[in-house]
Amino acid sequence: MYLEHTNPYSITKQHNREKLHILERIRLLFDKDSFVEVYPDTGEKKETYDGVITGYGRIFGSQVYFYGQDFTYMGGTFGYHHSKQIIAILKEAVANRKPIIGLYDGGGARIQEGAASVAGCGELFRMNALASGSIPQIAIIAGTCAGGAVYSPGLMDFVFTIDGISNMFVTGAKVVNEVQGTNYLIEELGGAKIHSSVSGVAHFRMENEAVCYQKVRKLVDILPPCYLEGSLYRTARYRRKDLWDIGNLLPKDVHKVYDVKPVIEEILDDDSFIEIQEEFAMNIVTGFGKLGGITVGIVANQTLYKNGSIDCDCADKAARFVQYCDCYNIPIITLADSTGFVMEAEQEHKGLIRHGAKMIQAYAQATTLKLTIILRKGYGGPYIFMGCKQIGADKHYVWPNAEVAVMKAEGAVAVICQKELRQLEGKEKEEYLKKQIAWYKDTYMNSRIVLENHFVDEEIRPEMTREILYDDLTRFERKPMEELPPKKHANIPV
């Protein structure tokens, strides 16, 4: 076994590149002395080391499978046997219903093996796809991940990157610069910051390796270890807290923006919230947390960015997160506060209709428990997109003074009263407009209509939010599965 015969020079070589060695990474990732190296049966007779360590260990006492590339052996490249070894340990993880962590630090497919290395990658991609939705797959990019090999972490659930050492790209900077006549640095093309804030490939960007492995441990601890049909995932009961001040986290002026994260943290158990894709599509917040010890997923509009409006990236981010939660029966708590879509020609050209449809389909198809609260505003399309009752929410609440309408009062009055407005001028027009806006707000921009028509279930006091949500989680834990039309699968508008 490789762990017993490590060359100290290999460790020095990694340190010279300002990276930890694979053995040091394993020690930081797993509980002390818990990792067991496994050389799984790949169906081949080759038993020599091929640049990847596979096995399992414990994280906070729970078993987790692992494979990690060793850059000091042939640059951590994917040879055929290298890929087969990863596939074998991934199959074992699926069979034993345990999460798996893959650590990538290599130069892509091994050129020396020709088509065999590419074939190995293809087989791995298929296994990544088959494991999706069965067990959590977490990728750590702890060096370079290049060429076709990037699609293995690309198929996984969560991708961690690390400042200064993580790089992911299909085509290297040298080739891109040669073909396009540009002058990109490798970090500008596929560094940690690019993938966490621009491309959306990475779900986490960490400052160094030690911090990264601690965050991975926390994420593993909060996620269900596998697909659990009809069950909520619980850990030790957390302290339930009072929410007497939560309503004061929203500004009294309804036009002012605010940070929704303190609201989320007040609803959830102390220090349990883990935000996903924090730097990407920041007009929506997604993440996991605990509520009374139960793992839940959070989707919330963030008015600090683009006033919480929905655009292409935001819709993609929310749709994939909702889909993940549904895979593992994680209840989804949606906190809605949005007045519309991002109104830009660029968004229309990028396919806002297509991207938005993903979000609708994700919510509509999800059979996990869905609880939604309109904190302040739910206008038009975003009222629907943010998990409304009509799209399948099990419970849909509003906070006091919430506004539910088709659009802002100014826009609505301009349409409804356009004939009258054309006939008025100056101060008279101004006074008439002011009066009609007040009338529209009083008549339509409130929660009265949706409550009277049972479009939402109930108006709740902010300080009761946590208690009501917890009661719903336990009350509807075994909710009957909705009967869906017979089909193989839906056609996702990708």
Side-chain angles (χ1 to χ4, degrees), residues 90-100 126-138 155-157 223-229 323-330:
L90 183 48
K91 283 182 177 178
E92 188 173 323
V94 171
N96 290 325
R97 299 170 67 79
K98 302 294 182 186
I100 192 161
R126 181 174 187 269
M127 193 60 220
N128 285 134
L130 293 176
S132 179
S134 175
I135 58 169
Q137 298 181 79
I138 297 170
L155 286 161
M156 296 171 77
D157 299 307
L223 294 176
C226 61
Y227 163 66
L228 299 168
E229 186 173 358
Q323 191 170 266
Y324 181 88
C325 290
D326 190 47
C327 284
Y328 296 94
N329 206 43
I330 299 170

Side-chain angles (χ1 to χ4, degrees), residues 23 31 47 58 65 157 180 222 224 329 343 381 384 406 444 469:
L23 301 186
D31 296 347
E47 294 183 4
R58 297 199 172 271
Y65 280 83
D157 299 307
Q180 294 195 332
I222 209 166
N329 206 43
M343 293 181 285
I384 301 168
V406 176
Y444 297 111
L469 291 176

Side-chain angles (χ1 to χ4, degrees), residues 383-422:
Y383 164 82
I384 301 168
F385 279 54
M386 295 299 291
C388 69
K389 189 174 181 178
Q390 293 70 42
I391 210 170
D394 296 280
K395 281 290 182 178
H396 195 178
Y397 301 109
V398 291
W399 275 7
N401 304 313
E403 298 177 355
V404 184
V406 176
M407 62 176 71
K408 291 181 182 179
E410 292 78 4
V413 168
V415 173
I416 295 169
C417 306
Q418 56 182 309
K419 185 178 178 181
E420 292 84 350
L421 288 168
R422 279 199 298 267

Side-chain angles (χ1 to χ4, degrees), residues 232-272:
L232 299 182
Y233 184 59
R234 288 179 169 86
T235 50
R237 177 66 72 88
Y238 285 62
R239 182 177 66 86
R240 296 188 73 182
K241 51 192 176 184
D242 297 325
L243 297 184
W244 298 111
D245 297 326
I246 191 170
N248 295 327
L249 294 173
L250 273 61
K252 288 183 171 54
D253 183 346
V254 296
H255 299 295
K256 282 190 175 177
V257 300
Y258 64 96
D259 188 355
V260 77
K261 292 179 192 178
V263 177
I264 295 169
E265 287 163 357
E266 275 297 304
I267 292 171
L268 297 177
D269 298 342
D270 292 336
D271 302 319
S272 70

Side-chain angles (χ1 to χ4, degrees), residues 115-156:
S117 63
V118 178
C121 286
E123 291 178 27
L124 173 57
F125 299 165
R126 181 174 187 269
M127 193 60 220
N128 285 134
L130 293 176
S132 179
S134 175
I135 58 169
Q137 298 181 79
I138 297 170
I140 303 170
I141 312 302
T144 296
C145 186
V150 295
Y151 288 103
S152 180
L155 286 161
M156 296 171 77

